[in-house]
Amino acid sequence: MADEAAVRQQAEVVRRLKQDKAEPDEIAKEVAKLLEMKAHLGGDEGKHKFVLKTPKGTRDYGPKQMAIRERVFSAIIACFKRHGAEVIDTPVFELKETLTGKYGEDSKLIYDLKDQGGELLSLRYDLTVPFARYLAMNKITNIKRYHIAKVYRRDNPAMTRGRYREFYQCDFDIAGQFDPMIPDAECLKIVQEILSDLQLGDFLIKMPWEEVRNEMVGEKGLSPEAADRIGEYVQLHGGMDLIEQLLQDPKLSQNKLAKEGLGDMKLLFEYLTLFGITGKISFDLSLARGLDYYTGVIYEAVLLQQENDHGEESVSVGSVAGGGRYDGLVGMFDPKGRKVPCVGISIGIERIFSILEQRVEASEEKIRTTETQVLVASAQKKLLEERLKLISELWDAGIKAEVLYKKNPKLLNQLQYCEDTGIPLVAIVGEQELKDGVVKLRVVATREEVNIRRESLVEEIRRRTNQL
């Protein structure tokens, strides 16, 4: 049994190690020893006081936040399914060598796990590299898939901008050998559909030079002068007119690769015209993504800065979607180097969620956190059995219903519960109603009450909640 003197001595050992900036593993070992000694002491002094917080760059999501998230996920999944995508899942961690060398400078942000008995593992950094590994491993050469899952990056978090260390990615990819630019055009159409559906405000699929410059200077550490010199070459952006202008440029038209690239862009814009979304697309020479695996056309969707009612500019959250073509990535995993052309998009769900969450808070909109259609209530005492019988009937019929967990709740408390949680209907059982074979259905918003035959109740609840 450790005594207080031994605990004080061990605490001094830990203090000195920290002061001397010893190896983290050594400090951790001595801290663990100290905590064990304190635990053996007993009493309040020996109890380890936990700091109740989430790790840096992570957060909890309460019912209100999850209601907003689920609404966003539903809209995104509906769009992916509308375009014929299948869904897959992959492990949250991969072999370290699978992820190594795929992300350029950003490789230092990968979370490595401790050796778990012979395999060196890392948490996935995105969903694209695991997808390419999946294709190569299963010898798949043709698939249209979506994947929504958490990824991990040891980044400097910026919580207000929706940048976390643990976050969701929503990816849609088309793998396979197809005629040029048709899948690429569909990917851009999907981005346009999702951003329009979520009503985030005006957006443009590109990245303005100013955003690139700010990122280079603020986040990548480039000098402002060097950034401005780059800027001279990348200020051009536009649509079909810019592509035609560049095709006329003698320096570019004599360069075979440049001419091919511009020909592809012209074809892409022709398809986008057919999809009716060229007004949302800007061809921008400034765009350069940091990831090593992009090989062709790349794109980024940014929200255009809006003003609020007081004339103040809203908080900019930057890019809300991005993607591109990565024809060589699957070949990196294939033993024979066989390539599978791929193009895809990633929806920036966390940034979108940040915008919607701020908007809901600002508008004080009441968010329902359940989907309950009806509360089964009673107006008199000793009717718990009847309430439970009725709610069981409703559940079995697929109706979303609740009951208060009290034997004899007051009717006023039951009605107040509906007001507080947004439940639209109350099914009231009383002695007279039981004799008459009816249930009193009350509409919470209007306080209208109507007697419904018991056998017609399910249909009436469905009819009324479909109208809401």
Side-chain angles (χ1 to χ4, degrees):
M1 173 86 63
D3 59 17
E4 288 186 22
V7 169
R8 281 198 295 273
Q9 199 174 351
Q10 182 62 19
E12 181 59 23
V13 169
V14 171
R15 191 187 68 77
R16 280 186 185 158
L17 285 172
K18 286 180 177 176
Q19 196 174 9
D20 297 342
K21 294 183 177 166
E23 287 293 316
D25 285 353
E26 191 183 350
I27 295 173
K29 195 166 83 178
E30 296 302 331
V31 167
K33 201 184 288 183
L34 174 62
L35 292 175
E36 195 178 341
M37 290 167 78
K38 279 185 172 180
H40 286 150
L41 266 179
D44 286 343
E45 197 185 331
K47 283 182 185 170
H48 174 49
K49 289 181 173 58
F50 288 103
V51 179
L52 289 172
K53 66 183 279 294
T54 59
K56 185 180 176 184
T58 66
R59 61 172 286 189
D60 290 323
Y61 294 89
K64 190 174 162 185
Q65 285 96 15
M66 284 306 297
I68 301 169
R69 281 177 91 79
E70 286 190 341
R71 192 193 296 172
V72 174
F73 280 137
S74 296
I76 292 170
I77 290 169
C79 179
F80 290 162
K81 287 184 173 179
R82 191 161 59 240
H83 286 262
E86 300 172 290
V87 63
I88 69 161
D89 196 13
T90 63
V92 75
F93 44 79
E94 294 274 351
L95 294 179
K96 186 178 178 179
E97 64 191 66
T98 300
L99 307 184
T100 305
K102 311 298 187 304
Y103 302 106
E105 273 292 294
D106 289 345
S107 288
K108 61 180 183 290
L109 303 179
I110 293 172
Y111 272 106
D112 293 330
L113 302 178
K114 278 192 171 179
D115 184 351
Q116 300 294 332
E119 285 191 329
L120 292 177
L121 306 172
S122 299
L123 292 178
R124 62 184 170 208
Y125 177 90
D126 67 3
L127 301 178
T128 310
V129 171
F131 175 53
R133 189 265 308 148
Y134 170 83
L135 294 181
M137 194 173 110
N138 294 288
K139 297 183 171 54
I140 295 168
T141 55
N142 191 320
I143 189 173
K144 187 194 296 187
R145 81 88 176 86
Y146 75 89
H147 188 185
I148 297 177
K150 284 183 175 179
V151 299
Y152 300 85
R153 296 185 185 179
R154 232 174 56 211
D155 210 342
N156 283 326
M159 310 290 264
T160 53
R161 290 186 60 205
R163 183 191 287 168
Y164 301 93
R165 290 183 160 186
E166 176 195 61
F167 57 96
Y168 272 100
Q169 278 196 337
C170 300
D171 283 16
F172 172 98
D173 293 84
I174 300 170
Q177 192 75 52
F178 303 107
D179 288 338
M181 291 295 152
I182 305 173
D184 307 64
E186 184 170 6
C187 285
L188 289 166
K189 177 78 172 101
I190 287 167
V191 173
Q192 179 266 330
E193 283 179 22
I194 288 170
L195 297 183
S196 300
D197 192 19
L198 293 173
Q199 298 176 349
L200 295 169
D202 211 7
F203 62 89
L204 196 58
I205 301 175
K206 66 161 225 161
M207 192 156 183
W209 164 245
E210 202 49 43
E211 292 269 344
V212 179
R213 185 188 184 281
N214 291 345
E215 190 172 301
M216 283 178 163
V217 175
E219 297 174 26
K220 301 277 196 283
L222 197 70
S223 75
E225 296 77 25
D228 287 333
R229 277 204 300 280
I230 295 168
E232 291 169 20
Y233 299 98
V234 296
Q235 290 290 7
L236 290 172
H237 53 82
M240 189 69 99
D241 51 346
L242 172 61
I243 294 163
E244 295 285 9
Q245 184 190 330
L246 293 170
L247 279 166
Q248 302 304 317
D249 186 306
K251 287 179 195 163
L252 288 174
S253 58
Q254 284 163 22
N255 182 316
K256 187 169 177 280
L257 284 175
K259 200 170 179 184
E260 277 178 16
L262 288 167
D264 280 347
M265 291 306 294
K266 187 177 177 184
L267 193 57
L268 176 63
F269 267 85
E270 284 170 6
Y271 296 146
L272 296 175
T273 305
L274 296 172
F275 286 153
I277 59 169
T278 44
K280 292 289 183 191
I281 313 285
S282 175
F283 176 50
D284 189 339
L285 299 182
S286 70
L287 187 57
R289 301 282 304 265
L291 300 178
D292 275 9
Y293 50 66
Y294 283 111
T295 54
V297 62
I298 52 175
Y299 29 81
E300 200 130 16
V302 288
L303 287 189
L304 300 180
Q305 189 68 283
Q306 296 148 54
E307 294 189 353
N308 62 23
D309 295 339
H310 308 294
E312 299 161 1
E313 286 198 336
S314 58
V315 178
S316 170
V317 294
S319 166
V320 286
R325 180 160 282 285
Y326 51 101
D327 290 348
L329 188 57
V330 179
M332 287 182 175
F333 295 112
D334 191 279
K336 294 181 179 171
R338 283 172 295 213
K339 289 186 177 180
V340 177
C342 297
V343 64
I345 49 150
S346 189
I347 305 296
I349 186 74
E350 302 297 352
R351 287 185 173 180
I352 289 170
F353 176 63
S354 288
I355 299 163
L356 294 177
E357 195 178 13
Q358 285 168 20
R359 196 176 287 172
V360 164
E361 279 173 20
S363 68
E364 295 178 2
E365 178 193 343
K366 200 171 180 185
I367 296 284
R368 275 201 73 189
T369 55
T370 72
E371 295 180 5
T372 308
Q373 296 164 283
V374 63
L375 180 81
V376 175
S378 58
Q380 295 114 1
K381 292 183 175 180
K382 298 184 180 174
L383 286 170
L384 175 62
E385 284 183 14
E386 294 300 334
R387 281 192 291 142
L388 295 182
K389 267 192 224 167
L390 178 56
I391 199 167
S392 185
E393 284 174 29
L394 295 177
W395 285 334
D396 290 346
I399 297 292
K400 295 165 185 167
E402 285 186 62
V403 65
L404 293 196
Y405 305 129
K406 274 183 159 308
K407 279 188 176 179
N408 300 307
K410 291 177 180 169
L411 183 60
L412 196 63
N413 291 351
Q414 296 170 90
L415 297 177
Q416 188 59 50
Y417 179 76
C418 293
E419 294 274 0
D420 294 343
T421 57
I423 298 173
L425 299 172
V426 191
I428 302 169
V429 288
E431 286 166 9
Q432 190 59 48
E433 283 85 359
L434 288 167
K435 280 179 195 165
D436 297 344
V438 298
V439 174
K440 188 175 284 178
L441 196 62
R442 179 183 172 109
V443 180
V444 176
T446 62
R447 301 183 181 179
E448 170 206 351
E449 290 185 346
V450 44
N451 285 339
I452 306 290
R453 299 289 312 162
R454 183 104 171 203
E455 60 270 21
S456 308
L457 182 63
V458 168
E459 201 49 53
E460 186 65 19
I461 290 170
R462 283 195 188 126
R463 189 183 69 78
R464 286 178 178 266
T465 49
N466 283 341
Q467 288 172 354
L468 296 172

